[in-house]
Amino acid sequence: MKKIEYYSLNTLTWVIVAFVVFPIIWMVKVSLHKNGEILQGITSMAIPDPQWLNYKNLWETINFGQYFKNSLLICTSTMFISCFLAVLAGYALARYKFPGSGLFGMSVIGTQMIPGIMFLLPIYLLFLNIKDTFGLPMVDTYWGMILVYSAFYTPMSIWIIRSFFVSIPKELEESARIDGCNRIQAFVRIILPLSIPGIIAMCVYIFLTAWDELMFAWVLTTTPEVQTIPVGIRLFVGQYTNRYDLLMSAATVVTLPVIITFFLSQKYFISGMTAGAVKG
Amino acid sequence: MEISRIPDAPEAKQSFGIRLKKGFREYRIAYLFILPTFIFMLLVHVLPMIQGIVMSFLKLNQFTLSQYLKAPFIGLKNYSELLFNESNPVRQGLGYALRNTAIYSVVVTISVMVIGLLVAMLLNRDFPGRGIARAAMLLPWVVPSYVVGVLWGFMWQKEGIINYILVDILHLMAEKPFWLIGQNTIWAIIIPTVWRSWPFIMVVFLAGLQTIPDDLYEAAKIDGAGRLRQFFTITIPMLKPIMAVQLLFQIINNVYSYNIVAMMFGNGSGYPGKWGDLLMTALTRQTFGYWSFGVGAAASFLLMAAMLIIVGVWYRIFRSELRVE
């Protein structure tokens, strides 16, 4: 009886795995077909004649390399800036109970409750204002996007890294201070190295979220020189007839680095992301 | 004792002064550390939010936008337009969007929590290939949500793979339905969202399950409690704080959901139809499409107010579960 249960639960697990993974396999499979075949409707699982050229054509049909570069540049810069800010603020929130710390902590979480559209136009107008007043272009610039993204992903990152700092015993710092370190030295030499796993988790989180952002990219960029992948990818549908072959290979190409990053950092990422959620 | 106490007294006073000074020094670092974030949030969160609220009282359209600081003040007119004027472009379709968002948020949130918990329990057992199964199940969560929109939009097509499986292989329906038009649309957006969101909940629950001590289950077994009883008296209560937090983030994510729908239908510019339009896609499209920014700002302010009420209710229900450090 126990054995039957064991094996049926195992089977159920693998059935779920199959269901869950199927759409991703389908995406990769479709990306290897000719567009004509796709438009007729593909039904078999076999790929008679894999079109590896789709992956090459993708970069030539539209300027996909430019979009890819933009996304990479904006997301990486955002990651570094947000990480820097969140580590400082998260540490302050984890270690000190200063007047206003409660309010600051609450407003950090509160930012998540404001709908994006509430910021969308004001930020756009603010950017135009800055250009009019200071002559500094903000719309259609890398730094405009990086500024907005960094500010948006810092609050949640603070929350993630704060719970990590809380889990590091205070005594470590205190003994470092007895040994003659000042607060900053104790923080840099003792706490930072210990929180590398948490910082990696947070960085991956920031990168994945920024890689995924669509609405602001849509409004705050209008030229392909700055637009990110989600904005560029729609050119495959509509603009020039429906190129589902290229669309699916593009989707595969943008998913691949994310999956690789994720699995390389999985060990840290999961523990870091769940620490906050489990400890509350 | 007496003697040793007397010289202590002034020192205690002094040490209070030192403590105060030390406290200042401590706070100084804390303030220094939050200062950059504070300025950032002031510039990119607080200032635009205030501006957004102010905008909801202004007459903002394509003519006044360029000089928006001097746009005429019209009081609550934007709000009354939004609530009572059926022919206002931003108002149009908002009822459908509200209904769809409500259905979408409730169904996605509940499904994700239930599936996440059940699969977490499935994976919390020992079996060969557990690590592989866990990693494979996490895959959808890593796929960018705009890719999810593009991919599922493709799979839902009339001659797409989903209809092929449902009709030609499983014979569940007589003919192939349209998924991206009409009432089916709501499922075409709910299912991909669930597909992408549940793995994270599963991982969180799995971590939570591993913190429940085995003795609790042992004791319950000795007391004669069955599986179901153990589930409701041990598992659920122990996971409640995690559920509370995840529930909140799920509600926020789903009410403000944008990417999947935006990419699935006409890649952002198109109208997803009466059964596919969500609040965020409707508001963005109509506000920007009709240059009706004052009314759009009023709508987003009301949306935020509604979210604050939801969060307030959430907090009242789960207050006792949340341990604040």
Side-chain angles (χ1 to χ4, degrees):
Chain A
M1 199 48 209
K2 266 251 139 63
K3 235 181 173 147
I4 295 173
E5 190 191 289
Y6 175 78
Y7 284 113
S8 52
L9 286 182
N10 285 2
T11 314
L12 180 65
T13 311
W14 292 107
V15 169
I16 296 174
V17 169
F19 265 110
V20 161
V21 176
F22 177 76
I24 299 172
I25 296 173
W26 191 251
M27 172 174 81
V28 179
K29 177 191 145 60
V30 171
S31 76
L32 292 174
H33 278 272
K34 288 183 187 131
N35 200 37
E37 291 171 345
I38 300 172
L39 292 175
Q40 280 166 23
I42 309 169
T43 46
S44 85
M45 268 319 279
I47 309 172
D49 176 22
Q51 300 292 310
W52 297 105
L53 267 181
N54 284 348
Y55 283 88
K56 190 166 163 279
N57 292 341
L58 161 70
W59 306 81
E60 287 155 8
T61 311
I62 66 167
N63 200 353
F64 193 71
Q66 182 70 38
Y67 293 108
F68 203 88
K69 188 188 126 200
N70 296 341
S71 265
L72 214 56
L73 205 136
I74 292 173
C75 296
T76 317
S77 319
T78 300
M79 186 178 86
F80 283 119
I81 297 173
S82 275
C83 174
F84 177 71
L85 295 175
V87 163
L88 292 183
Y91 179 75
L93 277 181
R95 277 292 187 268
Y96 303 100
K97 215 168 158 38
F98 51 92
S101 61
L103 186 71
F104 183 72
M106 284 296 282
S107 47
V108 160
I109 279 291
T111 55
Q112 305 299 307
M113 285 152 209
I114 309 168
I117 189 173
M118 186 108 189
F119 301 120
L120 195 54
L121 188 72
I123 288 180
Y124 181 70
L125 293 178
L126 204 67
F127 275 14
L128 293 184
N129 263 11
I130 292 175
K131 190 177 179 186
D132 287 347
T133 324
F134 305 105
L136 191 70
M138 297 296 286
V139 175
D140 271 332
T141 58
Y142 282 135
W143 62 77
M145 295 299 287
I146 294 168
L147 177 83
V148 170
Y149 282 6
S150 315
F152 278 165
Y153 305 135
T154 303
M156 201 59 198
S157 315
I158 292 177
W159 215 242
I160 295 170
I161 198 70
R162 186 203 65 111
S163 64
F164 205 88
F165 284 137
V166 168
S167 71
I168 298 175
K170 262 188 178 150
E171 289 74 25
L172 285 173
E173 242 169 313
E174 276 155 16
S175 57
R177 299 208 53 202
I178 291 167
D179 290 346
C181 285
N182 64 30
R183 285 195 160 270
I184 306 244
Q185 281 170 334
F187 171 63
V188 173
R189 291 199 192 153
I190 309 292
I191 303 300
L192 272 189
L194 282 174
S195 44
I196 297 274
I199 292 175
I200 293 177
M202 182 184 63
C203 285
V204 174
Y205 165 81
I206 300 168
F207 190 86
L208 292 189
T209 331
W211 192 255
D212 205 19
E213 208 284 329
L214 176 61
M215 195 157 70
F216 282 84
W218 226 310
V219 173
L220 297 181
T221 57
T222 50
T223 57
E225 279 72 47
V226 204
Q227 281 174 334
T228 51
I229 297 168
V231 183
I233 212 170
R234 76 200 158 122
L235 293 177
F236 290 122
V237 180
Q239 193 95 344
Y240 324 97
T241 60
N242 290 356
R243 291 301 302 268
Y244 284 115
D245 53 341
L246 300 186
L247 183 67
M248 288 300 141
S249 39
T252 309
V253 166
V254 299
T255 309
L256 212 60
V258 187
I259 289 184
I260 293 171
T261 320
F262 176 73
F263 280 106
L264 287 179
S265 64
Q266 198 195 9
K267 198 176 80 195
Y268 305 114
F269 187 61
I270 301 227
S271 62
M273 288 298 286
T274 49
V278 175
K279 281 169 202 150
Chain B
M1 287 292 276
E2 290 284 302
I3 300 165
S4 67
R5 239 188 194 177
I6 296 164
D8 252 18
E11 208 181 279
K13 237 182 192 167
Q14 200 185 17
S15 84
F16 177 73
I18 290 171
R19 269 217 321 271
L20 199 74
K21 247 189 191 165
K22 221 175 97 188
F24 255 134
R25 220 179 302 152
E26 282 184 17
Y27 292 157
R28 202 178 59 195
I29 289 197
Y31 287 126
L32 199 72
F33 275 15
I34 66 161
L35 186 70
T37 308
F38 184 73
I39 295 172
F40 230 33
M41 278 170 60
L42 218 57
L43 282 178
V44 185
H45 284 111
V46 180
L47 194 65
M49 194 180 82
I50 294 172
Q51 199 186 334
I53 296 172
V54 170
M55 274 166 54
S56 72
F57 298 110
L58 301 178
K59 187 180 171 62
L60 275 184
N61 50 32
Q62 62 268 51
F63 308 113
T64 53
L65 192 64
S66 55
Q67 289 289 314
Y68 70 99
L69 293 173
K70 291 175 203 135
F73 181 85
I74 50 167
L76 291 172
K77 184 131 186 307
N78 286 329
Y79 290 90
S80 68
E81 278 278 305
L82 186 70
L83 295 175
F84 307 114
N85 185 358
E86 295 279 345
S87 61
N88 185 286
V90 179
R91 159 72 199 246
Q92 274 169 8
L94 214 58
Y96 296 121
L98 194 63
R99 176 199 62 196
N100 295 342
T101 308
I103 300 175
Y104 174 87
S105 308
V106 171
V107 176
V108 170
T109 305
I110 294 177
S111 320
V112 161
M113 302 287 280
V114 170
I115 299 175
L117 179 58
L118 293 183
V119 180
M121 290 173 68
L122 212 54
L123 286 182
N124 200 27
R125 310 163 313 124
D126 235 347
F127 62 92
R130 192 183 120 150
I132 298 170
R134 207 176 103 165
M137 283 188 189
L138 270 170
L139 274 175
W141 184 61
V142 192
V143 176
S145 58
Y146 62 87
V147 171
V148 175
V150 163
L151 171 62
W152 282 79
F154 174 71
M155 298 204 311
W156 284 123
Q157 284 177 359
K158 191 156 187 282
E159 296 301 325
I161 183 68
I162 296 177
N163 270 346
Y164 178 74
I165 293 174
L166 289 179
V167 180
D168 293 345
I169 296 184
L170 299 175
H171 300 290
L172 289 175
M173 290 167 218
E175 54 182 288
K176 296 183 174 177
F178 286 103
W179 288 101
L180 300 177
I181 303 169
Q183 280 207 27
N184 291 328
T185 317
I186 189 103
W187 296 107
I189 61 177
I190 285 176
I191 292 172
T193 315
V194 173
W195 176 76
R196 183 176 188 259
S197 320
W198 75 268
F200 180 65
I201 306 284
M202 183 265 288
V203 170
V204 172
F205 279 150
L206 195 57
L209 285 175
Q210 282 159 0
T211 63
I212 303 177
D214 279 338
D215 335 358
L216 281 180
Y217 291 107
E218 298 290 332
K221 236 182 246 167
I222 292 166
D223 289 346
R227 281 278 176 80
L228 217 58
R229 186 79 193 276
Q230 286 177 31
F231 177 73
F232 283 108
T233 52
I234 301 172
T235 313
I236 296 273
M238 290 296 277
L239 289 180
K240 235 177 163 183
I242 305 176
M243 282 181 187
V245 175
Q246 292 310 315
L247 187 69
L248 179 69
F249 284 123
Q250 274 301 311
I251 293 173
I252 295 175
N253 277 347
N254 292 326
V255 172
Y256 295 158
S257 180
Y258 178 81
N259 286 13
I260 289 180
V261 174
M263 289 305 270
M264 199 183 280
F265 300 91
N267 299 294
S269 47
Y271 173 51
K274 283 180 182 175
W275 285 94
D277 216 6
L278 296 180
L279 278 174
M280 289 303 269
T281 53
L283 280 179
T284 317
R285 186 187 62 246
Q286 301 295 88
T287 308
F288 281 83
Y290 292 90
W291 297 80
S292 203
F293 297 109
V295 187
S300 37
F301 180 69
L302 290 182
L303 181 57
M304 187 178 73
M307 180 54 83
L308 286 178
I309 294 172
I310 295 174
V311 174
V313 172
W314 170 87
Y315 184 71
R316 281 199 84 84
I317 296 175
F318 292 103
R319 187 164 38 183
S320 57
E321 310 293 342
L322 302 165
R323 288 160 301 181
V324 180
E325 280 150 311

